[in-house]
Amino acid sequence: MNPLLILMLILLVISGIGLIIFILLHSGKGTGISDMIASSVYSTQTGTSIVEKNLDRITIIFAIIFIVSLLVLMVIYPQGSISR
């Protein structure tokens, strides 16, 4: 296997798992894991917004890594060329 293929597949899997985890951490309408964490760490509403902003940033970073690695795999290895 090509080292570039291995690297891109590892990036794709790690970013996909990270994306799933950080999307599940987001709260929807005031309930969620991030609110429970934020309420135990911060006692004000500003703490919750900081946690949500950080979750948004991390989720966007994982989404960009996922899309870029997927596009690189699509360009370098078109359909059917990995098995050669």
Side-chain angles (χ1 to χ4, degrees):
M1 283 186 111
N2 190 352
L4 180 63
L5 174 66
I6 294 170
L7 178 68
M8 287 296 121
L9 288 175
I10 290 172
L11 275 176
L12 186 71
V13 169
I14 290 173
S15 63
I17 291 170
L19 198 56
I20 290 169
I21 290 170
F22 283 103
I23 286 175
L24 289 176
L25 281 174
H26 279 279
S27 66
K29 302 207 178 190
T31 59
I33 297 173
S34 64
D35 279 339
M36 292 188 315
I37 295 170
S39 65
S40 65
V41 174
Y42 302 106
S43 61
T44 62
Q45 283 293 341
T46 58
T48 303
S49 64
I50 291 172
V51 172
E52 285 294 326
K53 286 180 184 177
N54 289 335
L55 279 175
D56 289 342
R57 290 181 188 133
I58 295 171
T59 305
I60 290 169
I61 289 170
F62 273 111
I64 290 170
I65 293 171
F66 183 81
I67 291 171
V68 167
S69 63
L70 187 63
L71 289 174
V72 167
L73 283 171
M74 287 172 53
V75 169
I76 294 176
Y77 298 101
Q79 182 179 5
S81 68
I82 293 179
S83 61
R84 287 189 221 170

